[in-house]
Amino acid sequence: MPRAPSRIASRFSIVPRALMKRALAGKRRKPAHPGRILVVHQLLLGDTLMLTPLLARLRRHHPEAEIVMTVSRGQLPLYAHRPYGVDAVAYDSRNPQSAKALLEMGSFDLAVVPGDNRHAVLAHALGADWVVALAGDRPGWKNRFADELVPIPPEPVALADLFALLAGEDDGTVYDRSDWARPECKSFELPDRDYAVLNVDAGTPLRLWAPHKWLQLADALEAMGLAVAFCAGPGEERMIAAIDPDGRHRSYAGVLDLPQLWRLLENARLLVCLDSGVGHLAKVAGTPSVVLYGPGSPVLFGPGRFWRNHPFRAVTLADFPCRDQHGVFKREVHWVMRCARTPAECPAPACMHAIETDAVVASCRELLG
């Protein structure tokens, strides 16, 4: 049986090249007018979408530049129409062929590294003249591959706006729905009347909400005159079955790809979801959103300044006692208040159990009102 591609094999093609280029480089200077810009990362869907203000600011500051961004292969269809004139390329650090394809793209004048600073090594391997990253990553060796480390602000800021600081100071840019064309998708049947989407899954069981509360919410929205479309990712059909065993409401669980999900959200009157990538996709698609935050931070993961016109309500219990961790991308930030514990450390998420249906219904009424 052939061995699966490994991250170690990819490093063998990247690290020596990065060290050689760094050793041979002369005095490094930040380019005033970069012609080629690389945004290099390996983030999940939600974090990738939160790079949108960074892309907008890079384009505003460098209108003539070629901008390339790495994404996972599954995210590529969302960027098919090149929002902000950005070319998305697939990258997976576990796949040596993926790294090889990047190395064949040629050098860049500027590389921007959001998230994990280990990708600054890849930026050097690609011959970037200047590498910008967020300060404070651990272990510290990763920071030494950045030419410029942008400090995290001392006051609370949305993660999306924090990423944008890598392109320079806030220039007041606000998201414009026309900047991102809807991706093409295979046809599927939408609800035949006004509807709300309830996306019930998340990246960790500690963010899940009780099944009976989802059904109470669905019935309340139905009473407001909306059809209800339940949604969940591939393999999560059983979640909808547990919530709505009699099939009283429509389910799209496990049948939509990302462009189809965009289409479903774009036509919805409302989205109610957990703190997940779907909530960030709704900001791009322009769907009014109610997001339930248990372990997560509505300050860190909310709309922030860039999406300040997005119709949005956060439902959470402020100052929950065990939301007492301060980490974001392995950086300790004093104003971050969240919980990143595992299910083994927290078998019953009290922060999610404490969110009552009435509070969510009230937020829905506000947005629909």
Side-chain angles (χ1 to χ4, degrees):
M1 183 175 180
R3 292 181 61 188
S6 71
R7 184 175 285 115
I8 293 176
S10 295
R11 287 174 180 169
F12 278 131
S13 65
I14 293 172
V15 174
R17 181 167 173 159
L19 293 173
M20 180 185 69
K21 285 185 173 288
R22 185 176 176 88
L24 295 177
K27 184 175 181 181
R28 297 173 67 83
R29 293 181 176 87
K30 185 174 183 178
H33 303 289
R36 298 192 80 206
I37 301 173
L38 173 68
V39 180
V40 57
H41 66 90
Q42 197 171 358
L43 297 171
L44 298 176
L45 174 65
D47 294 329
T48 300
L49 292 171
M50 282 192 282
L51 297 177
T52 304
L54 168 65
L55 303 180
R57 195 172 300 181
L58 284 172
R59 176 54 66 204
R60 190 179 179 95
H61 289 178
H62 309 289
E64 303 301 323
E66 175 190 0
I67 303 177
V68 176
M69 181 174 73
T70 60
V71 299
S72 71
R73 186 164 298 279
Q75 296 167 9
L76 277 176
L78 296 181
Y79 294 86
H81 292 307
R82 304 179 66 245
Y84 305 102
V86 172
D87 295 306
V89 296
Y91 174 61
D92 182 348
S93 63
R94 299 166 297 182
N95 189 332
Q97 294 304 314
S98 174
K100 181 181 177 182
L102 274 182
L103 295 173
E104 291 173 351
M105 293 188 67
S107 60
F108 290 85
D109 304 306
L110 173 66
V112 179
V113 182
D116 194 325
N117 284 358
R118 66 185 170 87
H119 296 296
V121 179
L122 176 58
H124 277 280
L126 289 165
D129 292 336
W130 193 260
V131 181
V132 182
L134 290 172
D137 199 2
R138 296 178 297 177
W141 67 263
K142 294 186 286 186
N143 301 317
R144 292 198 287 271
F145 281 84
D147 299 290
E148 180 181 350
L149 290 168
V150 175
I152 294 177
E155 67 281 347
V157 61
L159 183 59
D161 298 326
L162 176 59
F163 284 148
L165 290 176
L166 293 168
E169 292 300 318
D170 186 3
D171 58 2
T173 302
V174 177
Y175 182 66
D176 187 328
R177 178 66 187 80
S178 65
D179 288 333
W180 198 322
R182 177 210 304 147
E184 303 297 327
C185 72
K186 296 177 183 177
S187 63
F188 67 102
E189 187 177 350
L190 290 167
D192 57 7
R193 59 188 176 94
D194 284 356
Y195 64 93
V197 175
L198 307 188
N199 196 84
V200 305
D201 67 345
T204 167
L206 297 183
R207 296 180 192 168
L208 299 182
W209 202 35
H212 73 278
K213 293 182 179 179
W214 278 117
L215 188 58
Q216 289 171 354
L217 173 63
D219 291 342
L221 291 169
E222 187 84 41
M224 295 180 205
L226 294 178
V228 169
F230 279 117
C231 198
E236 301 298 344
E237 294 85 350
R238 66 188 185 282
M239 297 183 69
I240 308 300
I243 292 168
D244 186 15
D246 297 328
R248 286 152 47 187
H249 305 284
R250 189 165 191 161
S251 172
Y252 289 90
V255 300
L256 303 181
D257 59 24
L258 282 177
Q260 290 173 319
L261 179 57
W262 176 309
R263 181 69 180 273
L264 181 70
L265 294 177
E266 184 182 49
N267 287 275
R269 289 280 309 278
L270 178 73
L271 166 71
V272 183
C273 69
L274 308 169
D275 180 14
S276 66
V278 175
H280 301 295
L281 184 60
K283 290 186 289 192
V284 177
T287 311
S289 307
V290 175
V291 182
L292 282 58
Y293 293 92
S297 163
V299 173
L300 192 62
F301 302 117
R305 289 179 55 79
F306 182 72
W307 274 293
R308 59 183 175 269
N309 294 333
H310 176 63
F312 171 85
R313 294 293 185 275
V315 182
T316 187
L317 273 73
D319 304 321
F320 208 81
C322 54
R323 199 184 294 124
D324 57 357
Q325 296 176 316
H326 310 288
V328 55
F329 292 114
K330 299 181 181 178
R331 297 157 173 86
E332 285 292 310
V333 183
H334 73 90
W335 50 261
V336 169
M337 303 298 293
R338 61 185 300 207
C339 171
R341 294 175 176 86
T342 66
E345 296 171 298
C346 176
C351 55
M352 289 302 301
H353 295 169
I355 296 175
E356 296 297 343
T357 309
D358 288 348
V360 181
V361 171
S363 292
C364 293
R365 288 187 186 280
E366 289 177 14
L367 284 186
L368 294 169

